[in-house]
Amino acid sequence: MIGRASYNPMNGRLTATPIVSFSYDDAKTQKGGSNHWSSTENNRNNGRNVNFNNGNTNNNNKYNSNVVRPVAAFQDCVPDYFIRSVWDAFFDCLKGKMRSEGAVEYMVIADDDIPALAYELWTGIYKPGTSTCFLVSYPKWREVFAAGFRDRIVHHWVCLRLNPLFEHRFIHQGNVSFNCRKGFGTDMAVLHLAEGMRKVSNNYRKPAWIFKGDLVGFFMSIDKELLWYLLSRFMTRWKFRSEKFGWQPYQIYDMPDMYWDILMRTTKVIVMHHPERDCILNSAAHLWEEHMEPNKSLFTSPTGEPIGNLTTQLFANFLMSFFVMLVQWLYRHQNYCMAQFVDDFAIACDDLRFLVDSIPKLEQFLARLKLKLHKDKRYLQPVSHGVLFVGTYIKPGRKYLSNRTLSRMKEHCKGFAKMLEGECDPLQLLRIEQTLNSYLGFCLRRRTYGYRKEWLDEMGEGFWKRFYVKGHYESVHLKDKYKPIFNSYEYLFNETSQSGDYQAA
C-alpha cells in the first residue's frame, strides 16, 4: 500500500509508508497535489535527510569519500570467501547493465558497500530497500517493480546458487520449461512444440489434437506462503544431499554448512518482501485507476510477486514445475508432448477423449497452487490447424510470426527512419541497433524475409549511412565510426559528468 512519504534510513530517500487501504487520491495529493509523485534528492550524489521536528533538511554526501564506513570491521567479521561471493554477484549483475544509472551510481561506492552488504547477509540483518514502480503499456498494461541495484546484487547472489538446483530439476523433467534458462527461450519453445506436434501426429499423417491454456493474473496470483513452503522443502532436501553425499550446487569456494542457512534465510526475505509498501511511483497515479484491474496490481491484490525481479521469474518457473510434474504423471501412458513458457503451456496428444477429460484435473491441481486457468484463453484444435504459441503461429512444416509483432516492428522501423533523418548521438544509434536486432531475432526461422527486406530498405539514406545489414537481412550492425566506446569506467563517468548528472570519480 502507498501512504505518506517518510524517510527511509536504508537509502536516504523519501519513500512511501503503508496505510490501511490504498487510495489513488492519497497518491495524487503527494508533492503538492501533482498527478504523480516520487521521491527526490538534491542530486544523485547527495541524499536528503529530513528532521521532522523542525522540517530542516541536510545532505549526507552519501557517495563521497568523507563518509566513514567500518569496512575493516566487516572484513574481520565475515570470511573472505563470502565477501568474494558477493563480489561475484556484483559483477554478474553488471553484465549488460554497466551503462545504467543505478550501476554507475553504485560502482562509485562498491568498494565500501560490498563488504557491508556481505556483513548484512552473513548476520541476517539484510532488508530490501526501496523499489521503483511504473506501468508499461505494451503489449498490455502491466505493473513493474524495479529493485534498487543493491537489492539486485542480492537477487543475483541467490540465483547463482539456486539456478543449478532448478536446472537439475528441469533437466529431469525433460526440458519442457523454456523461460529464464540459458540456451532456451521463445525460439526453442516454438521448435520444441513444433517437433512434438510432428512426432505425436506421425508427421501429420494421423489425427492428433493440441490444447493450449493460459493462467489468470499469474504473477499476481502467486501465494508467498505457498511459494516459500515449496522452496524451503526443495532447499532442505538439497541440503541433506549435500551433507550426506558431499554435493555442492555452486562450486566456487569451499562453503560451510552455514551456507545453506544464509541461502534459505535470504531467499525467504526476498519471497516475503512487499515492495509496494516501500516504493517510488514513476508513472502517473491516475494510470493505475484507469488501466489496472484490482487483481493486476500488488497495491490492490492480497497476494502476488513483483514483476521485474530476476528472482520472481525463476521462482515462478519453479512453481510451474509442479504443474509439469502432474502433466507428466497423467500422460505417462500417452503419446504426447508439452511445452511451457511462464504461464503459457501447450499439450499435444493423439487421444482426444483423454485430452479433454484431463483438463478438469489440471484445473483442480492448479487450484491447489492458488492458480486459475483462464476460461477465455483456451485453444483445442487438431494439430494440422496449427497453434499460436509465444508469438508464433506453428503450422505443419512452417512457422509465421504473429501479426502483432510484425506490426510493432513496422512501427519501430518507421519511427527510427524519421529519427535518423536528423542528428543522433551514439547511444541513440546503439539503441536502434539493439531494438532492430531484437525484432530480427524473432523473425529468423519464420517466413518473414519479404517483410524485413521491405521495411529495412525503406528506412532511407540516414539508416544506410550509419548501419549495414548482414546475411539475408538477418541482423543490423552499426558502422565502426559511429560506435560508442565503453571500454573503461572512466569513459562512463566522463560521459555522465558532461551531462551534469554525475562527477567523474
Side-chain angles (χ1 to χ4, degrees):
M1 304 303 177
I2 300 179
R4 295 179 299 274
S6 62
Y7 173 67
N8 184 349
M10 293 297 297
N11 56 12
R13 290 178 173 175
L14 290 177
T15 55
T17 55
I19 57 177
V20 176
S21 61
F22 174 76
S23 170
Y24 294 100
D25 295 332
D26 293 331
K28 293 177 183 178
T29 57
Q30 300 295 334
K31 292 193 68 178
S34 61
N35 62 350
H36 69 282
W37 73 277
S38 63
S39 69
T40 58
E41 300 176 350
N42 291 349
N43 58 54
R44 288 182 170 89
N45 295 328
N46 297 283
R48 181 166 64 189
N49 295 333
V50 181
N51 186 332
F52 289 99
N53 294 325
N54 53 26
N56 294 332
T57 62
N58 65 285
N59 301 328
N60 64 357
N61 291 311
K62 58 184 179 181
Y63 291 152
N64 66 21
S65 59
N66 298 327
V67 179
V68 178
R69 299 180 177 88
V71 177
F74 293 144
Q75 293 175 341
D76 291 340
C77 299
V78 183
D80 289 340
Y81 68 83
F82 190 79
I83 296 179
R84 290 199 300 271
S85 71
V86 180
W87 275 107
D88 290 335
F90 166 68
F91 292 122
D92 189 67
C93 191
L94 280 179
K95 293 178 180 178
K97 299 293 183 181
M98 287 186 62
R99 297 189 294 274
S100 67
E101 291 185 5
V104 173
E105 285 183 352
Y106 194 84
M107 283 190 288
V108 180
I109 62 167
D111 289 337
D112 294 335
D113 194 63
I114 292 295
L117 181 58
Y119 175 80
E120 293 177 17
L121 295 175
W122 183 265
T123 57
I125 63 174
Y126 165 75
K127 298 296 180 184
T130 304
S131 300
T132 302
C133 180
F134 57 93
L135 297 181
V136 295
S137 58
Y138 181 83
K140 60 182 179 180
W141 285 93
R142 284 193 180 96
E143 178 185 77
V144 179
F145 284 87
F149 192 83
R150 192 174 195 264
D151 296 325
R152 278 180 269 165
I153 296 174
V154 179
H155 295 170
H156 280 256
W157 186 88
V158 169
C159 292
L160 284 172
R161 283 143 185 82
L162 288 182
N163 254 338
L165 308 183
F166 292 157
E167 279 297 312
H168 185 274
R169 181 180 182 87
F170 298 146
I171 291 173
H172 278 264
Q173 289 182 344
N175 285 323
V176 298
S177 299
F178 291 90
N179 59 297
C180 294
R181 297 182 61 195
K182 188 175 182 180
F184 293 79
T186 56
D187 195 41
M188 291 295 295
V190 169
L191 292 176
H192 174 83
L193 183 59
E195 180 65 15
M197 292 166 60
R198 188 188 65 80
K199 288 184 177 180
V200 168
S201 61
N202 191 18
N203 203 17
Y204 298 99
R205 285 180 290 199
K206 73 173 185 178
W209 290 262
I210 185 166
F211 172 73
K212 189 189 74 169
D214 191 6
L215 303 183
V216 180
F218 177 53
F219 289 103
M220 296 298 109
S221 301
I222 297 177
D223 186 85
K224 294 179 181 290
E225 296 287 347
L226 175 62
L227 176 60
W228 168 241
Y229 171 74
L230 296 175
L231 279 170
S232 61
R233 287 188 59 190
F234 178 74
M235 287 187 284
T236 300
R237 291 177 179 176
W238 276 109
K239 178 182 179 181
F240 171 76
R241 296 180 186 181
S242 176
E243 293 174 347
K244 186 173 181 179
F245 304 109
W247 187 87
Q248 288 289 347
Y250 190 67
Q251 294 285 3
I252 186 168
Y253 301 113
D254 184 18
M255 304 298 289
D257 294 338
M258 190 178 181
Y259 156 79
W260 289 100
D261 299 330
I262 298 173
L263 180 60
M264 295 182 68
R265 182 175 62 221
T266 307
T267 303
K268 183 178 181 181
V269 169
I270 295 173
V271 171
M272 305 303 293
H273 177 52
H274 290 269
E276 71 276 10
R277 298 176 180 175
D278 184 13
C279 67
I280 300 169
L281 293 184
N282 269 8
S283 295
H286 66 85
L287 295 177
W288 271 265
E289 189 174 10
E290 296 173 359
H291 301 286
M292 299 300 296
E293 299 177 5
N295 63 337
K296 297 291 186 179
S297 172
L298 287 182
F299 295 112
T300 52
S301 177
T303 60
E305 287 289 319
I307 299 176
N309 290 346
L310 173 63
T311 51
T312 299
Q313 301 287 335
L314 295 179
F315 294 162
N317 206 19
F318 167 75
L319 183 63
M320 286 298 292
S321 68
F322 292 91
F323 176 72
V324 173
M325 288 177 57
L326 174 72
V327 173
Q328 292 180 336
W329 183 81
L330 282 177
Y331 286 80
R332 62 191 182 279
H333 300 308
Q334 299 294 324
N335 178 24
Y336 84 102
C337 76
M338 178 188 181
Q340 175 255 323
F341 193 92
V342 195
D343 59 340
D344 293 330
F345 67 91
I347 304 171
C349 182
D350 59 358
D351 189 337
L352 177 60
R353 176 52 53 191
F354 186 88
L355 183 61
V356 174
D357 292 342
S358 67
I359 295 176
K361 299 177 183 178
L362 300 179
E363 290 185 285
Q364 292 176 5
F365 184 80
L366 286 172
R368 296 183 62 183
L369 296 178
K370 308 296 180 67
L371 303 174
K372 185 179 180 181
L373 196 61
H374 205 296
K375 293 183 178 180
D376 299 328
K377 294 184 179 180
R378 303 185 185 192
Y379 179 91
L380 179 60
Q381 289 286 341
V383 295
S384 58
H385 290 190
V387 64
L388 173 62
F389 188 66
V390 292
T392 299
Y393 288 98
I394 304 175
K395 298 282 187 177
R398 60 199 188 278
K399 296 181 287 292
Y400 300 98
L401 203 60
S402 67
N403 293 332
R404 185 174 67 179
T405 305
L406 287 173
S407 300
R408 190 68 174 176
M409 180 181 176
K410 183 178 181 180
E411 179 184 340
H412 272 91
C413 288
K414 290 184 177 179
F416 290 151
K418 187 174 181 180
M419 183 188 303
L420 291 169
E421 291 176 359
E423 295 295 328
C424 296
D425 60 53
L427 290 180
Q428 290 176 320
L429 296 177
L430 186 64
R431 172 176 168 267
I432 293 174
E433 178 191 36
Q434 293 172 345
T435 303
L436 291 178
N437 282 330
S438 177
Y439 279 106
L440 290 174
F442 280 109
C443 292
L444 294 180
R445 289 184 288 274
R446 278 83 167 167
R447 296 199 173 188
T448 58
Y449 175 77
Y451 292 116
R452 58 181 189 262
K453 182 180 185 301
E454 176 186 354
W455 296 337
L456 290 180
D457 286 343
E458 292 177 353
M459 289 194 67
E461 183 181 351
F463 173 79
W464 295 103
K465 175 184 175 182
R466 301 175 177 94
F467 296 89
Y468 64 95
V469 177
K470 277 191 175 182
H472 297 285
Y473 292 83
E474 297 173 356
S475 60
V476 171
H477 298 273
L478 193 59
K479 294 181 180 179
D480 291 340
K481 63 180 179 179
Y482 295 105
K483 287 183 179 179
I485 303 174
F486 297 112
N487 293 331
S488 64
Y489 293 122
E490 289 77 7
Y491 176 83
L492 292 174
F493 293 128
N494 290 336
E495 284 293 306
T496 52
S497 65
Q498 292 175 7
S499 63
D501 292 338
Y502 309 92
Q503 293 182 355

